[in-house]
């Protein structure tokens, strides 16, 4: 009888320690998620200035600018950081916003006046720096998520996580369609040598 | 005079002309002084050996005749010490002059500032961040400062020693100094802005990391690159910033640097602090000396070796891509 009590006590201690580890890891993910949000806010703050400037020069890109505003609103929508699905939607919206911003800067290359604007080049530098910070926060978040998900999915973690209502969290992955496209070497060479490309996008005032 | 040396293709500036016009004539002028110094050192060496011989002979005679040999032994010891001290002084004087002409001249041609001794160097951060081990005595020499591809840097050689006491069989306490670090301490301007403190130290196996980690400021940062993780341990007070600084590309560059310089992969430690990158690189040999004085000063090998030694400064900037304003 006493042995059963000892084994049961031992199991209880073990289960408690596992529970503590799970909660710690979940909190770590929350911390990482909030650090992502801090960095994402920098991106959101940058956007209005960029859009304001772009509107002056990029009359042909109204659709893109409108989409960016919409994406920003989606990305700023409130969410519950404890619910995996909501976190996934939030991060997906951010991924789309990032892709949209990259597209904007790429399209801006075709507008010489905008490209030569000091404010725009400063904005692009800031954007690159902000993206560097976001990438770092993303790596921290993904590392924390890996640890949490391992602890939740491996038995008996799955059992304890069920009781404690700790769930797996989604990874912050970048679905950048532009990055998946094959690079057109002639485009790159053409730009670097200043050779005008056939069928180039509209220039300002065209 | 010897033929002009072929400069390393890695030399950042064309030094041949400068060497021919300024350094080689100055070294040629010093050659007579070198020969005189070598002669004097040899004479003093012979004197010391003679005194040693006299001391042994006097001792032998004293044993055989029963006479007191105190004055012979005391006199011989005095002569030996005086001769050795004199030889060391002559060597140091002529070598310091030569070093200033060769190393100082080459550094000047490269746009670098060379100070062989008596200089200010921000050593404290190296100790605070644990890049160098605890020690009781230190000697810093050969500070080189300058700029390469827009990156400002400063470095010096360091010899750090720890004091140990031990008792011999008679109960006398003997103090000894053991070398705990010998190598280069380098400070580079870093292209990214950051606030916190991130330290990268060589991996010391599971137990070693656990013990060392207890005394470290900040939290352990686990990074994705398994090869990097096997080579280094990272501690930081900001998990996100540590990853901002140690991008996958920069981790690869650090690994490459650790493998290609110093005394193997575990000889490199780095810290990001106050918008600067601090590097401590263990290397056994004494650098930036130009060689000893028993060979002609204008030997091409001296310049080649020096250019190679100085090349490490630029190699680090290039390998770590510190002038990269794209900040990756």
């Amino acid at each position: 009888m006493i042995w059963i009590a000892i084994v049961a006590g031992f199991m209880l201690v073990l289960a408690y320690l596992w529970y503590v580890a799970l909660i710690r890891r979940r909190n770590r993910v929350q911390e990482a998620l909030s650090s992502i949000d801090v960095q994402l806010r920098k991106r959101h703050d940058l956007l209005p200035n960029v859009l304001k400037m772009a509107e002056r020069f990029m009359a042909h890109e109204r659709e893109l600018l409108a989409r960016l505003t919409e994406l920003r609103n989606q990305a700023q929508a409130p969410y519950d950081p404890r619910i995996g699905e909501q976190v996934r939607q939030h991060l997906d919206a951010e991924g789309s916003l990032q892709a949209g911003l990259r597209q904007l800067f790429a399209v801006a290359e075709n507008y010489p006046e905008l490209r030569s604007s000091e404010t725009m080049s400063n904005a692009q530098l800031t954007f690159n720096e902000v993206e560097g910070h976001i990438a770092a926060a993303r790596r921290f978040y993904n590392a924390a998520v890996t640890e949490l998900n391992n602890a939740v999915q491996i038995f008996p973690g799955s059992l304890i996580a069920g009781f404690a209502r700790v769930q797996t969290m989604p990874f912050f992955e970048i679905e950048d369609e532009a990055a998946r496209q094959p690079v057109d070497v002639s485009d790159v060479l053409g730009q670097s040598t200043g050779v005008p490309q056939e069928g180039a996008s509209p220039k300002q005032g065209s | 005079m010897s033929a002009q040396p072929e400069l390393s293709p890695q030399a950042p500036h064309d030094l041949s002309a400068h060497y021919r016009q300024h350094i080689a004539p100055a070294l040629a002028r010093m050659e007579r002084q070198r020969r005189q110094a070598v002669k004097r050192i040899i004479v003093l060496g012979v004197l010391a050996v003679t005194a040693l011989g006299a001391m042994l002979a006097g001792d032998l005679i004293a044993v055989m005749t029963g006479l007191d040999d105190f004055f012979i032994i005391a006199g011989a010891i005095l002569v030996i010490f005086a001769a050795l001290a004199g030889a060391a002084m002559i060597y140091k004087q002529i070598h310091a002059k030569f070093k200033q002409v060769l190393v100082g001249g080459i550094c000047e041609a490269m746009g670098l500032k060379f100070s062989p001794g008596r200089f200010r160097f921000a050593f404290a951060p190296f100790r605070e961040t644990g890049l160098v081990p605890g020690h009781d005595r230190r000697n810093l020499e050969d500070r080189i400062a300058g700029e390469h591809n827009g990156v400002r840097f400063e470095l010096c050689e360091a010899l750090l020693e720890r004091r140990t006491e031990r008792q011999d069989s008679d109960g006398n306490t003997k103090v000894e100094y053991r070398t705990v670090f010998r190598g280069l301490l380098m400070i580079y301007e870093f292209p990214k802005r950051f606030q916190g403190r991130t330290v990268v130290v060589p991996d010391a196996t599971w137990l070693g990391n656990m013990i060392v980690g207890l005394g470290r400021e900040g939290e352990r940062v686990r990074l994705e690159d398994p090869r990097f993780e096997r080579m280094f341990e990272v501690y930081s007070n900001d998990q996100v910033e540590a990853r901002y600084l140690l991008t996958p590309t920069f981790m690869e560059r650090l690994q490459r640097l650790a493998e290609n310089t110093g005394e193997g992969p575990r000889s490199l430690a780095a810290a990001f602090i106050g918008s600067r990158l601090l590097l401590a690189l263990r290397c056994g040999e004494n650098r930036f000396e130009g060689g000893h004085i028993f060979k002609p000063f204008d030997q091409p090998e001296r310049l080649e070796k020096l250019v190679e030694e100085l090349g490490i400064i630029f190699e680090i900037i290039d390998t770590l891509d510190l002038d990269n304003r794209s900040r990756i």
Side-chain angles (χ1 to χ4, degrees):
Chain A
M1 189 64 187
I2 191 147
W3 285 110
I4 295 170
I6 289 171
V7 170
F10 180 72
M11 297 295 273
L12 267 175
V13 170
L14 209 65
Y16 177 72
L17 291 177
W18 203 292
Y19 168 78
V20 169
L22 273 176
I23 299 299
R24 273 198 179 152
R25 283 170 189 178
R26 187 182 67 183
N27 291 345
R28 183 79 158 174
V29 171
Q30 306 299 323
E31 180 196 348
L33 194 57
S34 68
S35 67
I36 285 187
D37 281 339
V38 168
Q39 304 304 333
L40 292 175
R41 178 155 288 283
K42 291 182 192 168
R43 185 197 273 167
H44 297 167
D45 292 346
L46 182 70
L47 194 59
N49 290 337
V50 174
L51 288 179
K52 204 170 162 186
M53 198 174 1
E55 271 169 2
R56 282 171 49 204
F57 297 98
M58 299 166 75
H60 295 271
E61 314 292 345
R62 289 213 181 280
E63 201 180 314
L64 171 63
L65 302 181
R67 192 161 63 85
L68 276 173
T69 312
E70 174 61 26
L71 285 171
R72 180 179 181 247
N73 292 340
Q74 278 178 24
Q76 284 186 314
Y79 71 99
D80 188 340
R82 289 165 303 178
I83 300 171
E85 192 46 41
Q86 288 193 24
V87 172
R88 187 193 310 278
Q89 283 170 8
H90 171 66
L91 297 179
D92 283 351
E94 282 297 347
S96 306
L97 179 62
Q98 186 200 31
L101 266 166
R102 282 195 197 285
Q103 195 186 345
L104 175 76
F105 283 118
V107 173
E109 287 290 309
N110 297 318
Y111 295 84
E113 283 188 44
L114 182 60
R115 198 176 50 194
S116 59
S117 145
E118 196 186 332
T119 324
M120 192 61 175
S121 30
N122 284 343
Q124 189 147 11
L125 275 177
T126 313
F127 173 72
N128 287 342
E129 189 153 339
V130 167
E131 290 305 315
H133 282 285
I134 293 172
R138 188 167 64 85
R139 286 165 61 205
F140 176 38
Y141 171 78
N142 285 345
V145 166
T146 305
E147 287 194 5
L148 174 73
N149 290 359
N150 285 344
V152 168
Q153 290 170 339
I154 296 169
F155 182 84
S158 47
L159 214 64
I160 298 161
F163 282 117
R165 291 183 184 170
V166 177
Q167 50 180 285
T168 55
M169 296 295 271
F171 287 101
F172 186 4
E173 284 158 332
I174 299 295
E175 288 295 329
D176 189 352
E177 281 305 314
R180 291 170 189 270
Q181 298 299 317
V183 177
D184 187 342
V185 180
S186 61
D187 270 2
V188 177
L189 292 175
Q191 273 183 12
S192 64
T193 53
V195 179
Q197 295 300 298
E198 233 177 275
S201 304
K203 302 281 185 231
Q204 166 66 10
S206 63
Chain B
M1 211 165 92
S2 315
Q4 295 305 320
E6 283 295 316
L7 292 168
S8 154
Q10 287 176 341
H13 301 281
D14 183 15
L15 301 172
S16 294
H18 185 86
Y19 182 83
R20 272 197 303 273
Q21 283 172 17
H22 303 284
I23 299 171
L27 290 178
R29 278 195 299 277
M30 284 185 70
E31 190 53 27
R32 208 168 61 88
Q33 292 176 42
R34 185 194 71 82
R35 284 200 206 109
Q36 275 180 355
V38 170
K39 270 182 202 165
R40 283 181 193 153
I41 288 169
I42 291 171
V43 169
L44 287 168
V46 170
L47 187 66
V49 171
T50 311
L52 183 71
M55 188 173 80
L56 293 173
D59 195 39
L60 193 68
I61 291 166
V63 169
M64 286 166 67
T65 59
L67 291 171
D68 188 3
D69 62 350
F70 173 77
F71 289 106
I72 296 173
I73 291 175
I77 288 174
L78 201 72
V79 170
I80 290 169
F81 270 99
L84 292 180
M89 204 174 72
I90 292 169
Y91 186 96
K92 269 189 174 178
Q93 273 178 355
I94 189 78
H95 188 264
K97 263 184 170 178
F98 157 68
K99 190 168 147 177
Q100 188 59 51
V101 171
L102 180 67
V103 185
I106 291 294
C107 283
E108 196 188 327
M110 287 177 158
L112 309 175
K113 197 180 167 199
F114 174 67
S115 324
R118 289 186 187 170
F119 51 81
R120 290 170 76 90
F121 186 81
F123 179 80
F126 285 91
R127 192 167 189 167
E128 284 164 20
T129 50
L131 292 194
V132 293
H135 55 277
D136 301 295
R137 193 163 76 176
R138 70 167 173 264
N139 179 36
L140 304 182
E141 61 168 22
D142 300 339
R143 175 182 177 271
I144 296 171
E147 197 175 309
H148 174 62
N149 289 349
V151 179
R152 280 185 294 175
F153 63 85
E154 180 185 10
L155 66 93
C156 76
E157 276 194 291
L159 175 67
L160 310 179
E161 294 170 314
R162 192 173 290 158
R163 188 177 193 269
T164 48
E165 283 184 8
R166 67 178 181 89
Q167 289 202 325
D168 61 17
S169 51
D170 300 330
N172 299 319
T173 305
K174 272 195 158 186
V175 175
E176 285 174 355
Y177 283 90
R178 190 168 56 84
T179 302
V180 288
F181 179 89
R182 182 185 201 117
L184 293 173
L185 303 180
M186 298 169 267
I187 303 172
Y188 288 92
E189 193 181 47
F190 199 68
K192 288 181 176 178
R193 282 177 287 174
F194 56 94
Q195 308 286 325
R197 181 181 282 201
T198 299
V199 180
V200 182
V201 288
D203 186 275
T205 71
W206 177 79
L207 187 65
N209 292 339
M210 205 172 70
I211 295 166
V212 174
L214 292 173
R216 285 208 178 271
E217 184 193 320
E219 208 180 336
R220 164 112 161 74
V221 180
R222 281 176 214 281
L223 296 163
E224 311 88 333
D225 186 338
R227 238 183 105 233
F228 184 87
E229 278 290 301
R230 274 198 297 276
M231 280 172 79
F232 298 107
E233 285 283 292
V234 180
Y235 297 90
S236 178
N237 50 14
D238 188 330
Q239 291 276 341
V240 174
E241 196 176 81
R243 287 170 172 88
Y244 172 63
L245 296 167
L246 294 164
T247 60
T249 317
F250 197 81
M251 284 194 278
E252 275 175 28
R253 290 176 194 152
L254 262 184
Q255 286 173 58
R256 209 165 42 237
L257 182 67
E259 281 162 353
N260 299 337
T261 52
E263 294 176 329
R266 292 184 201 283
S267 59
L268 181 73
F272 300 87
I273 175 170
S275 76
R276 292 173 305 169
L277 169 66
L278 272 53
L279 292 173
L281 183 68
R282 284 177 188 271
C283 38
E285 62 174 329
N286 195 0
R287 288 168 184 249
F288 317 127
E289 292 300 315
H292 58 70
I293 70 160
F294 299 103
K295 281 181 182 174
F297 280 154
D298 57 354
Q299 272 196 328
E301 294 81 24
R302 293 182 190 270
L303 179 61
E304 280 167 17
K305 189 166 186 295
L306 178 63
V307 170
E308 192 183 301
E309 286 170 351
L310 287 168
I312 194 172
I313 305 168
F314 309 112
E315 195 184 316
I316 286 172
I317 294 176
D318 296 337
T319 306
L320 296 182
D321 211 5
L322 296 177
D323 57 327
N324 181 357
R325 300 292 149 177
S326 68
R327 299 169 176 184
I328 53 169

